[in-house]
Amino acid sequence: MAYEIVNVASAQSLSADFTSATIDARYYQHVTIQLIWTGTPTGNFTIEVSNDEGPIPTNWVTVASSTQAAGGAAGSKNYEPSGGYAWYRVFYDSSSSTGTLTANACLKGFY
């Protein structure tokens, strides 16, 4: 079984809204996304998905029940979104304060 680890955010500032790099999952069967944040950010993380064709997706939808509050303290979250979407990304909606985010995706399946 093939797998790939993809970094989509590395020490990314959380002082403003942020959208991660796009995760191309078209050739994999399973996706997990790990978020690790530092500092005291108060905002919400969500996972967005798309099934657009082509190399650059433009239509994004938030995965239901994917909202994770940063809570004003360092923390982490692991997502295992279901549905087999073609594209994934992380969105952070900043409320106040600051911190940094590191996000990695693990893609598994038969490439």
Side-chain angles (χ1 to χ4, degrees), residues 15-103:
S15 60
D17 292 359
F18 165 74
T19 302
S20 77
T22 300
I23 302 163
D24 182 352
R26 293 176 293 172
Y27 304 106
Y28 295 93
Q29 295 174 330
H30 189 74
V31 175
T32 60
I33 302 168
Q34 180 185 46
L35 308 181
I36 301 169
W37 61 92
T38 64
T40 57
T42 54
N44 292 312
F45 297 101
T46 56
I47 301 298
E48 297 180 332
V49 295
S50 176
N51 277 333
D52 285 356
E53 292 186 56
I56 302 174
T58 57
N59 300 296
W60 293 93
V61 177
T62 299
V63 174
S65 302
S66 71
T67 301
Q68 171 66 45
S76 62
K77 171 72 175 174
N78 187 56
Y79 290 98
E80 292 189 50
S82 62
Y85 296 97
W87 308 95
Y88 295 80
R89 70 183 184 185
V90 177
F91 177 72
Y92 179 69
D93 183 17
S94 178
S95 294
S96 66
S97 199
T98 190
T100 61
L101 171 70
T102 297

